Amino acid sequence: MSSPVPIRPQRAMILAAGIGKRMRPITATVPKPLVEVNGRALIDYGLDRLERAGVETVVVNIHYLPDLLKAHVSRRPHPAVVISDERDGLLDTGGGVAKALPHFRGEPFYVINSDSFWMEGPRPNLDWLAGAWNGDRMDALLLLASTVRSVGYHGRGDFRMDPAGRLSRRPEREVAPFAYAGAGIFHPRLFENCPEGAFSLNRLFDKAIEAERLFGVRMDGTWLHVGTPETIGEAELSIADSAA
């Protein structure tokens, strides 16, 4: 049976408070979400995707060079942007979302990393997530990218996925077929009894795996992971090739 909550989340969060160490020296003067790829700031790709998905309000957390980031996102008319200020101390991914929970009104919401974006396939990936969401079975639904087809990603993968879409962690010293592409739908109950202060979302993912309530959707298109100055060129080349 489908969940009674809205299928399409109307609210979202973009995680944008990191200090971008691996992107130096570019991030010596600009926060990582404002690093440009193909003439656009990274965070604008995420905001564009959310606007197209019908999201009305987006929470953006800030910490490093916060005034630059706040000024940039405040210029967008849509979606409406709410700032979650972490200038007093970074809360990591999990703590950052936990602080913003009151903005989501107890309903499922999108979460997107500001340094990951993708070239869409025939169906927009946030639509894939919304269409697959089932709040009766899921505490979180993650967008997954193929480890071998992604651009700028050189890791060993994060998850295995069973035929029902249920996720499990990559075994140690093995390679997994899927990497977390930095986007998902979360239910607020994922954060019940979560730690105070700074903590990683991975702690909550592991808890959801134990409860068999962490699911995934394989993305349609190509994931562009921009984590270092070198991967900017890789992403721009992929964008150029796709337009040729």
Side-chain angles (χ1 to χ4, degrees):
M1 180 180 294
S2 298
S3 170
V5 299
I7 295 298
R8 268 185 192 277
Q10 300 298 300
R11 293 173 178 262
M13 182 166 190
I14 294 184
L15 297 171
I19 60 178
K21 285 184 178 179
R22 293 192 303 136
M23 192 62 80
R24 290 187 179 273
I26 298 173
T27 49
T29 57
V30 65
K32 187 177 180 182
L34 298 188
V35 171
E36 291 193 355
V37 175
N38 208 41
R40 288 182 63 74
L42 280 170
I43 196 169
D44 285 328
Y45 288 98
L47 288 166
D48 289 346
R49 300 281 190 256
L50 293 168
E51 181 179 5
R52 191 243 167 254
V55 170
E56 297 174 355
T57 303
V58 179
V59 179
V60 176
N61 61 345
I62 59 173
H63 172 77
Y64 177 64
L65 299 176
D67 293 333
L68 291 178
L69 186 53
K70 184 176 180 180
H72 181 88
V73 298
S74 67
R75 290 195 288 267
R76 288 188 65 111
H78 303 290
V81 173
V82 176
I83 296 297
S84 181
D85 199 320
E86 296 181 20
R87 279 181 252 218
D88 291 338
L90 275 172
L91 294 173
D92 205 341
T93 53
V97 178
K99 180 181 179 180
L101 282 177
H103 295 289
F104 306 128
R105 300 177 178 176
E107 297 178 354
F109 55 96
Y110 290 113
V111 174
I112 295 182
N113 293 346
S114 62
D115 61 350
S116 294
F117 67 106
W118 55 85
M119 292 184 290
E120 299 280 23
R123 182 182 183 186
N125 282 294
L126 296 186
D127 288 355
W128 276 117
L129 283 169
W133 173 256
N134 184 325
D136 291 336
R137 296 192 302 145
M138 304 171 181
D139 287 341
L141 177 65
L142 308 183
L143 186 65
L144 303 178
S146 166
T147 54
V148 298
R149 293 184 55 200
S150 300
V151 174
Y153 178 78
H154 307 293
R156 298 171 64 87
D158 300 309
F159 297 105
R160 290 177 171 178
M161 182 166 56
D162 73 13
R166 194 174 288 107
L167 300 184
S168 59
R169 285 288 186 185
R170 172 181 62 83
E172 190 175 357
R173 294 188 294 275
E174 293 187 20
V175 176
F178 298 110
Y180 174 45
I185 296 176
F186 297 174
H187 195 286
R189 65 170 164 261
L190 179 69
F191 295 83
E192 291 178 356
N193 302 313
C194 70
E196 295 185 5
F199 68 93
S200 171
L201 280 172
N202 281 306
R203 294 184 61 170
L204 304 187
F205 292 167
D206 289 339
K207 183 179 74 169
I209 287 172
E210 291 179 7
E212 299 188 343
R213 296 184 63 85
L214 186 70
F215 286 75
V217 170
R218 181 170 183 164
M219 75 159 28
D220 191 7
T222 304
W223 183 39
L224 306 173
H225 179 67
V226 181
T228 65
E230 293 74 24
T231 54
I232 295 174
E234 294 180 39
E236 290 179 335
L237 182 60
S238 294
I239 293 171
D241 287 345
S242 70

